[in-house]
Amino acid sequence: MHGHKISAAPDYTNAALVSFAINLAWIFFAIWAAFGLVPVLLLAMMLNHLISRLQARRRG
C-alpha cells in the first residue's frame, strides 16, 4: 500500500447538476398537477431568491 499513488477524485459536478435538474422538474410537475401553477411559480421564486442570497454571501 505504500507504493499506491492516490489520484485525483473524479469530478461529478455535471452529473450532480443534471440529477438535480431532473428531480426539480418532476417535483415541479407533481406540485403543478396537485395544486396548480401558482404554487410552482411561488416555489420557483423562493428558490431563485435563496440561490441569489447564497451567491451574494459567497461573493463576500
Side-chain angles (χ1 to χ4, degrees):
M1 289 302 286
H2 295 292
H4 181 68
K5 198 173 195 181
I6 298 176
S7 61
D11 184 16
Y12 291 115
T13 303
N14 288 337
L17 290 174
V18 169
S19 178
F20 177 75
I22 291 170
N23 284 324
L24 188 63
W26 77 258
I27 290 169
F28 276 175
F29 184 74
I31 293 172
W32 186 8
F35 303 110
L37 186 60
V38 174
V40 173
L41 293 175
L42 291 173
L43 179 60
M45 288 173 42
M46 183 184 70
L47 285 173
N48 185 39
H49 178 71
L50 292 173
I51 291 169
S52 297
R53 286 185 57 191
L54 180 63
Q55 182 182 15
R57 182 182 294 179
R58 289 190 76 184
R59 285 186 179 167

